[in-house]
Amino acid sequence: MMAGVIFVFSAAALLQFFISYCRSLIAASSKQVLSAEVKDVTGIQRIASGDDFKRVMQLLQLCPERPEDRNSVQAIGAYFSLLGFLRSTLARLVPSMRAWTESERGQCAYFAAVALGRRISFSRDMLAQQMDT
Amino acid sequence: MLGPYEYAVWLMCTLLESAVLVCAFKKNALRRYMLLNVYMAASLVVSIGRYNILSHYGFTSKEYLYFYYYSDALLTIALYFALMSLYSRIFSDLNAERYIRIGTVILLSGTALFSYAVVQQSSSKLVTHFVVELSQNLYFVGLLLTYILWAAVLKMRETRTRLIQMVLSMGVYFSLFAANFALQNLYQSRGSFFEFLTPLFGCFLPLSWAYTFWHVPEEARTVPSRLAVVPR
């Protein structure tokens, strides 16, 4: 009984903290403007949609990985999966939640696009270094 | 003996703990977040100490068992002080540092007394039982305090991104352990699976702190109401 109560409490707390933590990661990237080439490649102009996420992630995987952003990309991937789960379950019953999950999924796609921009410039720097040597 | 998975997680965790200190040093945050870094340094020392004792005496030895539980209690106390240092920073504008210090000592003493009251019935190995009980209770207190701190961050509209991310990562860390502990008790037949997860969860805190020190500048600001699950 006690273990059940602790589990419910801690799972609710975990959900609250995990969502807020992911949103704090996303918040930093939402202020950044996408470069012209990222806009061209991803088709995202100013506002991203949740449907763009998978495509942007595929593009991300084509670029050499930056060790600095690997973990945050994984965390956002997990957050996106959680949103997908909420969208196909709870959001069907609560319309306001559907709008919220859609907007969050779009923010995740925008975060991935910002990470893509960083990876493109990282690859470009690496190539320039190789050319120099 | 431990398997390759345990060694890999141990190595990853130790590297991440040292990465936190390096990132804090490089970003001039070593003194500013002194108690958090003290906790990380202590974790690093304990990780190396545990490995040494493990390789000398073995996993099932008394030496390792005692070192594990006593060092765990010390680390939990250090983490508790690190959490209270976040309280001090969040409430610094209210000049409440003195009250927080007093509250910290009272709460720690209260938890210790409660733990002692729980274990005093068992006459043998009283100190060891006390240490284990204190460690568990302090973890639970830590979870509650983190939750209260997050509520305070939202209420006071704290905007310092670094502090916000530190509080949130502590919340995720404590909740992960509490949920894992509860699941272990609920499904005792699958206890080995949850034990398998425990060391992996231990990597989360150093990972997120290293990320925060490295990527989030001290001047960065976030509107916390945008982060809350329930809109405020």
Side-chain angles (χ1 to χ4, degrees):
Chain A
M1 173 65 185
M2 198 57 205
V5 173
I6 293 175
F7 175 66
V8 169
F9 178 78
S10 54
L14 177 61
L15 204 63
Q16 155 87 45
F17 283 119
F18 180 68
I19 291 176
S20 299
Y21 183 69
C22 290
R23 293 180 98 185
S24 77
L25 295 178
I26 291 172
S29 70
S30 65
K31 290 169 194 159
Q32 292 182 30
V33 181
L34 295 179
S35 64
E37 56 193 349
V38 173
K39 283 180 184 171
D40 283 348
V41 172
T42 59
I44 298 170
Q45 293 306 313
R46 281 183 62 199
I47 298 165
S49 131
D51 298 333
D52 296 325
F53 187 78
K54 273 191 180 162
R55 196 161 37 83
V56 181
M57 286 300 273
Q58 281 169 352
L59 290 169
L60 255 180
Q61 278 152 12
L62 292 175
C63 296
E65 211 170 39
R66 285 173 78 235
E68 299 95 322
D69 67 10
R70 187 192 306 150
N71 300 311
S72 54
V73 169
Q74 280 173 351
I76 298 302
Y79 182 49
F80 187 82
S81 307
L82 175 73
L83 290 169
F85 172 73
L86 288 176
R87 186 170 169 250
S88 53
T89 51
L90 275 177
R92 290 188 176 201
L93 304 170
V94 189
S96 62
M97 193 159 195
R98 189 172 178 82
W100 179 79
T101 49
E102 274 311 315
S103 125
E104 287 297 302
R105 279 161 47 91
Q107 298 266 10
C108 289
Y110 196 86
F111 176 89
V114 171
L116 178 67
R118 285 202 200 116
R119 282 196 187 177
I120 290 173
S121 56
F122 174 68
S123 331
R124 205 166 267 157
D125 289 347
M126 279 209 315
L127 192 69
Q129 278 174 6
Q130 279 181 348
M131 299 277 271
D132 287 345
T133 55
Chain B
M1 283 306 285
L2 299 181
Y5 166 77
E6 283 83 4
Y7 278 115
V9 173
W10 172 83
L11 184 66
M12 190 166 73
C13 226
T14 311
L15 287 175
L16 284 170
E17 282 156 4
S18 43
V20 172
L21 296 172
V22 172
C23 291
F25 177 72
K26 285 260 181 193
K27 300 287 175 178
N28 293 323
L30 211 53
R31 286 180 64 186
R32 191 169 295 176
Y33 296 92
M34 178 65 102
L35 284 174
L36 272 75
N37 289 313
V38 165
Y39 165 71
M40 247 341 126
S43 298
L44 183 63
V45 171
V46 165
S47 284
I48 295 166
R50 278 180 188 169
Y51 179 78
N52 269 333
I53 291 180
L54 183 71
S55 52
H56 275 93
Y57 300 101
F59 185 61
T60 49
S61 66
K62 268 187 177 177
E63 285 82 357
Y64 180 72
L65 204 71
Y66 276 103
F67 186 78
Y68 180 87
Y69 282 111
Y70 280 80
S71 61
D72 193 52
L74 287 176
L75 282 182
T76 312
I77 294 170
L79 184 59
Y80 170 77
F81 280 111
L83 177 62
M84 296 318 277
S85 75
L86 290 178
Y87 262 88
S88 283
R89 293 184 72 85
I90 302 260
F91 289 100
S92 57
D93 292 343
L94 301 178
N95 291 323
E97 281 99 334
R98 190 165 157 262
Y99 299 107
I100 288 166
R101 271 201 294 272
I102 295 168
T104 303
V105 174
I106 290 173
L107 196 56
L108 182 61
S109 315
T111 312
L113 278 174
F114 175 77
S115 308
Y116 179 74
V118 171
V119 299
Q120 67 167 340
Q121 308 298 332
S122 58
S123 53
S124 64
K125 293 178 182 170
L126 184 68
V127 180
T128 310
H129 284 152
F130 169 73
V131 163
V132 175
E133 188 68 31
L134 175 68
S135 193
Q136 283 181 357
N137 291 338
L138 213 51
Y139 251 102
F140 189 65
V141 169
L143 171 66
L144 289 178
L145 286 176
T146 312
Y147 208 77
I148 295 168
L149 186 59
W150 176 234
V153 165
L154 292 173
K155 190 79 186 163
M156 295 176 67
R157 296 183 168 82
E158 174 60 60
T159 55
R160 286 170 282 184
T161 311
R162 257 191 189 171
L163 272 179
I164 289 172
Q165 288 207 351
M166 299 277 186
V167 174
L168 288 173
S169 56
M170 274 208 174
V172 173
Y173 177 78
F174 279 123
S175 312
L176 273 174
F177 273 103
N180 194 43
F181 170 76
L183 283 173
Q184 254 176 317
N185 281 287
L186 278 174
Y187 302 101
Q188 286 176 352
S189 56
R190 291 177 189 169
S192 57
F193 172 71
F194 298 113
E195 278 172 23
F196 177 81
L197 291 176
T198 310
L200 203 60
F201 291 158
C203 295
F204 176 76
L205 204 59
L207 180 70
S208 57
W209 285 5
Y211 178 88
T212 304
F213 281 136
W214 193 253
H215 276 279
V216 181
E218 187 59 31
E219 312 78 50
R221 296 290 181 265
T222 305
V223 181
S225 58
R226 286 185 59 199
L227 308 177
V229 178
V230 180
R232 281 158 200 257

